Amino acid sequence: MGHRLQRMRDHGMKPGFRTDEDDLPSEQVVNCGWGRLLFGNTFSNPEDLVSALRNERPDRRDIAFYVRDPHVVVGMAPQELFLDPSHTYRLNLSTYRAARDPRKGFTVRRLSSRSDAEQINALYAGRGMVPVSEDYFWSQLDPREITVLVAEEDETGTIVGTAMGVDHKRATGEADLGSSLWCLAVSPQARFPGIGEALVRRLAEVFQARGNPHMDLSVMHDNEQAIALYEKLGFERVPVFTVKLKNPINEALYAGPATEDKLNPYATLIVNEARRRGINAEIIDAEGGFFRLSYGGRSVRCRESLSEFTSAVAMSICDDKATTRRIVEAAGISVPDQMTAGNGDLSAFLNRYGSVVVKPARGEQGKGIAIGLTELADVEAAIEIARTFSNEVLVEQCVTGQDLRLVVIDYKVVAAAVRRPAEILGNGKSTIRDLIEAQSRRRSAATGGESRIVIDEEAERCLASAGFGLDDVLPENQRLAVRRTANLHTGGTIHDVTGETHHSLIEAAIRAAKAIQIPVTGIDLMVKDPREPEYHFIEANERPGLANHEPQPTAERFVDFLFPLSLPKAVRDTLNRDLS
């Protein structure tokens, strides 16, 4: 009977007060950097909890957790508060068992440097989360109360995941004895599986060693992938509720879902930014990514980042890669040598450069492109494949280096990123085919279905050049590129280098955009290093995927370009308060 009563108390609708001691602190609030965590079960009076929530800073996100009577609290300020549409899950640390096999390719450790903090904020921004000031990490964070973990790639040193945990016993003076997990974020560019699971497990082990009875977390009700992970680790759902203050940061949580069909990530990013500013968004065709934005008497039709302000002539230039090359070369842009298949001596061209690229004159998303061909028979076979995508096929001097994409909006570079081809990591057990399929599933899940690794002739040719076939077993810890093209739609990853790109590359991208007379474009350059001036122009994209470059403000600059007089909602609210 005692066990049943305890279970009812732990899993009941109302998180209980600790009544075994009379001098426990009340109204406990913990500053987590992104906002405050309010322990609702330490507030005896609902009015006091409402008052505390009203003190939220404009750029923060406060969370009232373990709210005993959420209906009462929200009912006191229904225009200001809302019940968060999330589930609470609990891991019983007394029965939790650590994993035996450590994950390969990355290391989970504690936050230890300002570089870590900067990369954590980049992960937060990329996931639409609230950033944390560096001063908080170094002068306000108490490591006894708050634990910040990062997952670091062993080879590159890049932070690809992070998690924050709160020790309730230490943070509340024993008013609550549990612990909780917050801010779990994994980079969509992560190359290794199991990063999220490793972060959760390490945090559970930290709190288990301290004697915490359980670890709780709050997860969106429709985040099926995360819920599946938590249930796999042994978390169980408990009826604990969260209340938040309505603000622009969490607007999507209380405004309700959009009524139109689901847009792809590239259109969704722009539509959401427009709606935040009060710009009307009408969905014309969700499947194709078409929508109309209207504001202040101006109405603009768009297809993702392609708008009516891009002329048909500019689109025609971008659509024909040979024409694009001639236009930008005339503007003084460095371009690789090129010929049209069937209009010249193919053998002589191959002998001159040793290695060539074959690509359709028209097309996108890396379809029909073959890179690094050195044999005439392979070139001729690649030409036939490319002709299935375009009647005209180009053969181009193969320029080695890094694939740099620069996003130009209103003739200003707003983002720069290096794109890398898809690769896999061997485990000594699985075939290359199985590893590719598993990595493809992860890339698809991380990008909303936009990125998949295609197994085709280009992939087989890339594997063969490394001495492998699809049915071979890749040795443990060996990394293998499975394509030479770095296009995101074929499984490539993208890595932001906006702050370190050489000014010569930025100037070249702007000159190319002005030569084409296209106000919004993605300029692709092949470079030795983004920090060095040498480059070759590859192509221009009239509809760059802005969602690929978060946390850079690509959507904001695009909407600025369309509607220069529009203002973000937070700014409008501030002006209205000042006027009143």
Side-chain angles (χ1 to χ4, degrees):
M1 178 61 72
H3 170 74
R4 291 183 179 179
L5 289 174
Q6 180 65 37
R7 184 174 178 83
M8 289 175 63
R9 194 156 48 243
D10 291 342
H11 294 257
M13 291 292 290
K14 294 185 178 182
F17 292 109
R18 290 196 63 204
T19 58
D20 53 334
E21 299 181 37
D22 297 329
D23 58 348
L24 290 175
S26 61
E27 299 185 8
Q28 290 300 291
V29 177
V30 178
N31 179 17
C32 297
W34 38 262
R36 299 175 303 159
L37 182 60
L38 290 76
F39 289 82
N41 55 339
T42 67
F43 285 76
S44 58
N45 194 327
E47 288 91 342
D48 295 335
L49 182 57
V50 173
S51 178
L53 282 167
R54 283 173 172 157
N55 291 328
E56 178 185 74
R57 283 176 46 188
D59 59 342
R60 301 292 93 182
R61 181 194 62 176
D62 290 351
I63 299 176
F65 205 37
Y66 306 121
V67 180
R68 287 175 55 82
D69 296 304
H71 56 297
V72 175
V73 173
V74 173
M76 289 181 171
Q79 300 302 320
E80 301 174 71
L81 306 177
F82 71 100
L83 187 64
D84 188 51
S86 59
H87 296 323
T88 301
Y89 278 79
R90 173 167 294 176
L91 180 65
N92 187 342
L93 296 180
S94 65
T95 58
Y96 171 75
R97 296 293 179 267
R100 294 182 179 178
D101 298 326
R103 295 288 182 171
K104 302 294 180 65
F106 63 92
T107 301
V108 175
R109 58 174 176 80
R110 289 177 182 265
L111 166 79
S112 62
S113 69
R114 290 191 177 273
S115 175
D116 288 350
E118 292 173 358
Q119 294 186 71
I120 287 174
N121 274 332
L123 284 176
Y124 285 172
R127 291 302 190 183
M129 300 161 67
V130 179
V132 177
S133 70
E134 291 185 17
D135 289 341
Y136 171 82
F137 282 123
W138 304 121
S139 61
Q140 301 176 38
L141 185 150
D142 186 341
R144 297 171 300 175
E145 299 177 358
I146 297 178
T147 300
V148 179
L149 301 178
V150 296
E152 179 184 46
E153 282 192 351
D154 294 336
E155 180 182 6
T156 65
T158 302
I159 302 301
V160 291
T162 182
M164 176 182 287
V166 179
D167 186 323
H168 298 178
K169 181 178 179 180
R170 300 184 181 189
T172 67
E174 301 191 9
D176 188 277
L177 301 180
S179 61
S180 55
L181 161 68
W182 303 95
C183 297
L184 177 65
V186 177
S187 169
Q189 313 301 332
R191 297 179 294 169
F192 306 102
I195 293 174
E197 177 179 342
L199 286 164
V200 176
R201 285 188 177 278
R202 176 63 63 83
L203 200 57
E205 292 161 12
V206 168
F207 291 140
Q208 184 183 50
R210 294 180 181 178
N212 295 90
H214 56 259
M215 183 171 74
D216 293 345
L217 59 84
S218 180
V219 58
M220 286 299 298
H221 69 96
D222 56 356
N223 192 344
E224 297 178 357
Q225 186 178 5
I227 290 174
L229 167 63
Y230 299 140
E231 291 180 341
K232 168 189 171 183
L233 296 179
F235 283 83
E236 295 181 354
R237 185 178 167 187
V238 292
V240 173
F241 302 99
T242 302
V243 173
K244 297 178 181 177
L245 187 73
K246 294 179 180 178
N247 63 29
I249 295 173
N250 53 42
E251 190 172 23
L253 301 180
Y254 60 82
T259 57
E260 70 275 352
D261 294 334
K262 185 177 182 181
L263 294 163
N264 64 37
Y266 307 109
T268 298
L269 183 74
I270 297 169
V271 168
N272 288 344
E273 173 62 24
R275 284 175 169 165
R276 278 192 288 269
R277 302 188 186 198
I279 297 172
N280 182 61
E282 174 191 352
I283 309 305
I284 299 172
D285 179 66
E287 184 175 352
F290 292 90
F291 53 90
R292 178 186 287 107
L293 302 180
S294 302
Y295 179 81
R298 169 181 281 185
S299 179
V300 184
R301 288 186 300 171
C302 304
R303 184 183 186 189
E304 300 165 9
S305 63
L306 176 65
S307 75
E308 293 175 333
F309 296 140
T310 295
S311 70
V313 173
M315 278 193 61
S316 180
I317 292 173
C318 288
D319 182 57
D320 188 333
K321 294 179 176 62
T323 302
T324 308
R325 178 185 175 279
R326 292 194 298 269
I327 294 289
V328 300
E329 184 180 21
I333 305 298
S334 176
V335 297
D337 196 6
Q338 188 182 89
M339 66 170 287
T340 302
N343 293 339
D345 190 334
L346 184 61
S347 178
F349 190 87
L350 178 61
N351 290 334
R352 185 181 312 140
Y353 296 109
S355 178
V356 299
V357 176
V358 173
K359 58 186 178 183
R362 291 178 170 83
E364 58 181 4
Q365 299 182 357
K367 297 177 181 176
I369 297 179
I371 297 177
L373 305 178
T374 58
E375 300 295 332
L376 183 60
D378 292 336
V379 175
E380 292 173 340
I383 290 172
E384 293 306 311
I385 294 173
R387 282 204 171 105
T388 64
F389 297 95
S390 172
N391 291 329
E392 185 177 3
V393 176
L394 305 176
V395 181
E396 190 173 85
Q397 169 193 0
C398 184
V399 182
T400 59
Q402 300 184 51
D403 186 338
L404 179 68
R405 162 64 65 89
L406 299 106
V407 177
V408 181
I409 299 177
D410 198 16
Y411 303 112
K412 302 178 185 68
V413 171
V414 299
V418 169
R419 303 187 297 179
R420 294 172 183 158
E423 64 177 18
I424 55 176
L425 181 70
N427 57 17
K429 303 174 184 177
S430 304
T431 65
I432 290 176
R433 186 190 305 275
D434 291 339
L435 292 172
I436 291 175
E437 291 174 350
Q439 178 72 347
S440 182
R441 287 193 296 271
R442 287 193 294 272
R443 292 292 298 137
S444 179
T447 60
E450 293 295 317
S451 179
R452 293 183 177 88
I453 304 176
V454 181
I455 299 178
D456 55 10
E457 293 84 354
E458 168 66 10
E460 293 180 2
R461 186 163 44 246
C462 182
L463 295 175
S465 67
F468 291 98
L470 286 168
D471 296 322
D472 293 337
V473 174
L474 189 62
E476 187 174 7
N477 293 330
Q478 180 169 341
R479 189 168 286 107
L480 177 66
V482 297
R483 300 188 71 84
R484 289 194 174 95
T485 56
N487 194 283
L488 297 180
H489 291 275
T490 55
T493 58
I494 189 164
H495 308 269
D496 183 71
V497 293
T498 304
E500 54 189 282
T501 301
H502 197 279
H503 66 87
S504 295
L505 307 182
I506 293 174
E507 292 169 1
I510 294 173
R511 287 206 314 274
K514 288 182 176 178
I516 301 169
Q517 295 186 23
I518 184 168
V520 178
T521 181
I523 300 296
D524 294 340
L525 305 178
M526 190 63 68
V527 302
K528 291 183 178 180
D529 188 289
R531 295 176 290 271
E532 298 179 6
E534 292 81 8
Y535 72 91
H536 283 86
F537 174 89
I538 302 301
E539 64 181 35
N541 190 308
E542 75 278 5
R543 183 163 49 99
L546 303 185
N548 299 327
H549 294 271
E550 293 186 293
Q552 299 302 328
T554 52
E556 291 92 325
R557 299 294 83 81
F558 179 71
V559 177
D560 287 344
F561 166 66
L562 299 183
F563 302 98
L565 300 180
S566 66
L567 292 172
K569 185 178 185 305
V571 177
R572 296 199 314 273
D573 290 345
T574 301
L575 290 176
N576 290 336
R577 285 195 298 269
D578 292 342
L579 291 173
S580 61

